[in-house]
Amino acid sequence: MLAESRAALNTHPAPLGTGDTDSTGQQPPGTRRHPDIPSSQHVAYTHSIVKINVMGVTNQTKVTEFMFSGLTDNENVKSFLFILILHVYTVTIVANVGLVAIVSNTSNLQNPMYYFLSYLSLVDVFYSSTITPKMLVDLKCLEKTISFEGCALQFFFYAALGSIETLLLSTMSYDRYVAICHPLHYVSIMTKKKCLCLVLLSFSIGFLQSSVQTGCSYTLRFCGPNLINHFYCDAPLVIRLSCSDTSTCDLVTVYIVGGLAIGSLITILISYTLIIFSVINIRSREGRRKAFSTCSSHLMCVCIFYGTVLFTYMRPPSSVFTVRDKRLHYKALTMTYKAIHNLSPPYICDLVSRYLLTHNLRSSQDLLLYSPLISSSHNRIQDFSRVSPRLWNPLPQHIRLSPTIETFKKNLKTHLFRQAYNLQ
């Protein structure tokens, strides 16, 4: 793939001038000029979401792997996050595996509530292991890549196990409703066969909807951008990188995820509404306390699960996309600075070219980039060689001419922060 990228670069038309030479009489590497292009085209700025393509510079390139933006680029923060996440992951695995072992080997815990709880713990073990190990590896690696097939497989299990956990939580709320509202018939209603059928139904629905989502998302055509602004493969972010029509997949994702989430939440709300009315009719204070205590742990799990989902996916789009755009701009501009100063791999450095003027003007010292004119049949495709000049050239001069990468990052963060929150 690297060879294909270099071949594409070599065949790409790059107008060179004969008057741009260095002290040795040769043209400096990585520099281009185009005297016929107006300066306004070189400082054009786009507010669209940046999508970086380092797999190739042509629109017909087939993406074979994706890159993650990761959690952070700060090395000190990476070390702290690695230790913290590893500790939390270890505790999660040990606690859930231990709970499954205790429920399986204790005769007093052989009832429907702990039966569902053991399956919920088992799902949580695999759910955490779908993303966390890869995230820990990426915190220690320079390049955060995942193969196309690996990304599809990660999303398949992520979507399936997440849906199963949602359905198990709603099933457990129904179990609590039967236990509190119909205690005398609890044993006859919640039989082992019925519990097994509810678990199998949850797993079947989870894997079925995940198969539909994965098949719809990863059969799209990906011909350019491969940077996922996350630390795992999430369907909305992957679909956004496609160069084909995604309207069908967007509808499928919305209907499936919305249907499962709303259906499960309605089941939980109805169950707990009936539980509250039933508990209110209990005369003794001790009876009400015991009834509520049997639901407190499950209710806490529901609040944490749905609270996290709502915080992640249901924030106001105006503020989310503004800040997300600036984060993407920061990553792209940092990569551009490294490419200009030869701090990146050669195949990335070859994608940026300094813009040189034929005459020695004051603006020639501004460290501007050449913006290639690349025609594209898909206007959503923006590779790194086109996006980097559009983001780089409008930057203030003192940021572009920063002497070190640390100074550049500090000044850039301040600049983008002021832009995101209209402080300028």
Side-chain angles (χ1 to χ4, degrees), residues 91-161:
V91 172
T92 301
I93 297 299
V94 172
N96 284 287
V97 172
L99 181 60
V100 173
I102 292 174
V103 172
S104 301
N105 298 320
T106 305
S107 58
N108 295 333
L109 301 180
Q110 301 299 319
N111 58 62
M113 182 179 69
Y114 290 103
Y115 180 80
F116 292 128
L117 185 61
S118 63
Y119 275 100
L120 186 66
S121 299
L122 191 63
V123 169
D124 197 32
V125 169
F126 291 103
Y127 194 31
S128 303
S129 302
T130 301
I131 296 174
T132 308
K134 173 61 178 173
M135 180 172 56
L136 291 173
V137 172
D138 288 342
L139 286 173
K140 292 298 182 180
C141 293
L142 182 61
E143 294 187 359
K144 311 172 187 67
T145 60
I146 186 172
S147 65
F148 186 89
E149 294 78 10
C151 188
L153 195 63
Q154 185 188 63
F155 174 74
F156 172 76
F157 285 105
Y158 167 77
L161 295 171

Side-chain angles (χ1 to χ4, degrees), residues 42-46 50 329-330 332-341 352-355 365-370 384 386-402 404-405 408-409 412 415:
H42 291 278
V43 295
Y45 186 72
T46 178
V50 182
H329 292 177
Y330 173 79
L333 288 169
T334 302
M335 185 178 293
T336 303
Y337 181 92
K338 292 180 179 179
I340 293 174
H341 295 83
V352 297
S353 304
R354 294 182 58 178
Y355 176 68
Q365 306 297 326
D366 287 347
L367 193 58
L368 298 176
L369 296 181
Y370 168 76
F384 184 62
R386 288 193 300 149
V387 172
S388 55
R390 297 179 183 178
L391 296 177
W392 177 268
N393 292 338
L395 287 177
Q397 184 182 30
H398 74 279
I399 298 179
R400 295 197 305 269
L401 299 179
S402 298
T404 62
I405 183 65
F408 175 78
K409 288 182 178 180
L412 181 62
H415 175 70

Side-chain angles (χ1 to χ4, degrees), residues 232-250:
Y232 67 92
C233 295
D234 198 5
L237 299 178
V238 173
I239 292 175
R240 194 179 302 168
L241 299 178
S242 174
C243 53
S244 55
D245 184 21
T246 62
S247 57
T248 302
C249 284
D250 290 335

Side-chain angles (χ1 to χ4, degrees), residues 69-85 136 138-144:
S69 61
L71 293 171
T72 180
D73 293 327
N74 191 308
E75 294 298 330
N76 295 328
V77 177
K78 280 184 178 180
S79 301
F80 170 76
L81 288 177
F82 181 84
I83 296 173
L84 176 63
I85 295 173
L136 291 173
D138 288 342
L139 286 173
K140 292 298 182 180
C141 293
L142 182 61
E143 294 187 359
K144 311 172 187 67

